[in-house]
Amino acid sequence: MDLQKHNLAEKMAFLISIPPDSNLAKLLRFCLATGWNEELAGKSALDIARALIEDPYNLPYWTHEVMGIDKEHSDREWIALGEMGIKDTKEFINTLWKELESLNL
């Protein structure tokens, strides 16, 4: 198996392991809904993802940055953001970290 296929298999295994109603799944659904555009953003998807990991309690501002990069907020972005149900950022992130630690990869 070549490296790209191996990397894809690893990412797929990670996604398959995530409980669908978890905070981690909600965050990933939000990421999928945004359709990040590196050209418009001037930074890579990896850079924006690292920004959240480095400062996870900045999640509310991060979601608006990701949504606003194309200066449009689509219905699917708003729906995904709403489904995250973030009332307390610290609680959401702490639960997400626990979910991530419990994955059996």
Side-chain angles (χ1 to χ4, degrees):
M1 183 181 299
D2 69 27
L3 185 58
Q4 281 187 318
K5 289 178 183 173
H6 175 77
N7 287 336
L8 176 59
E10 283 184 337
K11 291 351 178 235
M12 288 173 64
F14 173 73
L15 292 171
I16 290 168
S17 300
I18 298 170
D21 294 327
S22 66
N23 285 1
L24 183 54
K26 293 172 187 176
L27 175 62
L28 294 174
R29 278 193 297 275
F30 171 80
C31 292
L32 288 170
T34 64
W36 183 255
N37 184 322
E38 290 185 11
E39 194 172 300
L40 285 175
K43 56 180 129 180
S44 72
L46 184 56
D47 288 339
I48 195 69
R50 283 183 177 151
L52 179 62
I53 301 306
E54 290 171 4
D55 187 6
Y57 301 111
N58 196 34
L59 179 63
Y61 302 101
W62 182 88
T63 56
H64 286 278
E65 178 183 359
V66 172
M67 283 178 65
I69 199 62
D70 59 3
K71 309 232 184 318
E72 293 181 22
H73 297 89
S74 71
D75 289 345
R76 79 171 179 233
E77 289 172 328
W78 282 117
I79 290 167
L81 180 61
E83 288 175 349
M84 290 173 74
I86 303 169
K87 293 180 176 84
D88 179 332
T89 302
K90 188 173 183 175
E91 180 182 320
F92 182 90
I93 292 296
N94 288 341
T95 300
L96 187 144
W97 292 146
K98 288 176 187 171
E99 293 166 354
L100 190 60
E101 288 173 9
S102 71
L103 289 180
N104 200 7
L105 299 175

